[in-house]
Amino acid sequence: MVCMHKSLFIKGLVDIRAQVLFWSIGLGFICFLTVFLYPNVKDIYSELFESLPDAMIAFMGAEHSVDSLEGYLNVEFFTFVPIALAVFAVIAGTGSIRGDENQGTLELLLAQPVSRMGLFITKVLGLVIANGFIIILLTSIVFLTSWLMGIEVASGRILSAFGLLWLFLISITALSILVSLVMPTRVVAGTVVAVWVVVSHILNSLSEIVDGVGLFKPVYLTSYFQGGNALGSEISLGYLVGLAAILIVSLLLGGWIFIRRDIAV
């Protein structure tokens, strides 16, 4: 039984190895350039943001000083990377079970000596590790490039930001699995979650400058990502608990539905 779970775990990682490699190389290169260019552009950024109106700065999520690497990363990296990686989480999450079902391999996997819940947990763990690999790589690039360039780093804030990004991605992955199990097709499920994430990002940014938009922040998925706050201010405990609730509820409901649903052949 243990060997079977190990084999399924490895298969899950192998199935998404190309996606993990693509996102790791692409975002890793962007991460390296972002930190590498910081000493040359920090003064320009400081002057630029001093000339911008407060509303524009709030919309860009640049309330924290860009004089530090942490504030600079918040503006140049953490404003778009969570959305980019959320796309990976949606693709991997919606494809983890529905992808196998569409290919006709899920029934073959369930014919092996493994329970449905065991298969579900193995799939989830594989995606947790895949997301973690990307996060660890990006974190390592930040620290290594900072060391090479002689840039002072607030290690605790950097680690917290990337740790919260990992939690955010795992939650989006779990939510994507859940939605894929209740929607008619994987494409529909992926579209629903992806649109939800993108619209949430736009509306969450607008909530800083448009009255009334902020009333619906609990509905915006990206408002639960607290990595930016970790870099320059204080983390919202309420949204952090909310993110954990999204993760737990999505996993519990997803597992419950998977155990009871009929598998398409």
Side-chain angles (χ1 to χ4, degrees):
M1 184 68 72
V2 174
C3 292
M4 179 55 65
H5 281 229
K6 181 179 178 181
S7 298
L8 292 174
F9 176 77
I10 294 175
K11 178 188 179 298
L13 292 177
V14 170
D15 288 344
I16 59 173
R17 66 188 185 282
Q19 298 176 41
V20 173
L21 183 63
F22 170 79
W23 289 99
S24 297
I25 293 176
L27 291 179
F29 181 67
I30 293 174
C31 182
F32 166 74
L33 282 182
T34 301
V35 180
F36 180 78
L37 294 174
Y38 171 68
N40 297 320
V41 301
K42 64 178 181 178
D43 292 335
I44 299 175
Y45 265 68
S46 295
E47 294 176 3
L48 174 63
F49 281 100
E50 286 177 1
S51 65
L52 291 176
D54 293 340
M56 179 62 70
I57 293 176
F59 178 76
M60 296 173 62
E63 299 92 340
H64 314 307
S65 173
V66 293
D67 292 332
S68 66
L69 177 63
E70 295 73 41
Y72 170 74
L73 286 175
N74 184 39
V75 174
E76 279 295 296
F77 195 71
F78 279 92
T79 51
F80 78 92
V81 166
I83 308 304
L85 282 176
V87 174
F88 165 76
V90 170
I91 294 173
T94 56
S96 61
I97 293 176
R98 288 303 292 270
D100 284 343
E101 185 176 11
N102 293 342
Q103 294 171 8
T105 58
L106 184 58
E107 188 178 19
L108 295 176
L109 293 176
L110 291 174
Q112 306 303 314
V114 58
S115 65
R116 285 199 178 200
M117 182 54 70
L119 177 61
F120 181 83
I121 293 174
T122 302
K123 290 279 189 180
V124 171
L125 288 178
L127 294 175
V128 170
I129 297 299
N131 281 295
F133 175 82
I134 298 175
I135 295 299
I136 292 172
L137 176 64
L138 295 178
T139 307
S140 301
I141 289 174
V142 169
F143 281 112
L144 180 59
T145 309
S146 300
W147 175 72
L148 291 174
M149 299 299 295
I151 303 173
E152 185 177 349
V153 177
S155 300
R157 289 191 177 275
I158 296 292
L159 290 173
S160 296
F162 278 105
L164 290 170
L165 178 56
W166 192 1
L167 178 61
F168 176 72
L169 294 177
I170 295 171
S171 300
I172 296 297
T173 300
L175 181 62
S176 299
I177 294 174
L178 171 61
V179 175
S180 73
L181 292 174
V182 298
M183 289 293 172
T185 67
R186 175 189 177 185
V187 174
V188 172
T191 301
V192 169
V193 181
V195 170
W196 190 359
V197 170
V198 173
V199 172
S200 293
H201 177 65
I202 296 172
L203 293 179
N204 192 41
S205 298
L206 286 174
S207 67
E208 302 295 334
I209 58 175
V210 179
D211 293 337
V213 179
L215 295 175
F216 302 96
K217 286 193 73 171
V219 181
Y220 308 151
L221 286 176
T222 52
S223 65
Y224 293 93
F225 172 61
Q226 294 292 300
N229 290 353
L231 288 170
S233 59
E234 298 297 327
I235 297 171
S236 170
L237 182 59
Y239 280 110
L240 184 59
V241 172
L243 184 61
I246 292 174
L247 172 60
I248 294 171
V249 171
S250 296
L251 290 177
L252 291 177
L253 279 179
W256 183 79
I257 293 173
F258 179 59
I259 290 174
R260 287 161 176 77
R261 79 190 299 267
D262 293 329
I263 303 299
V265 180

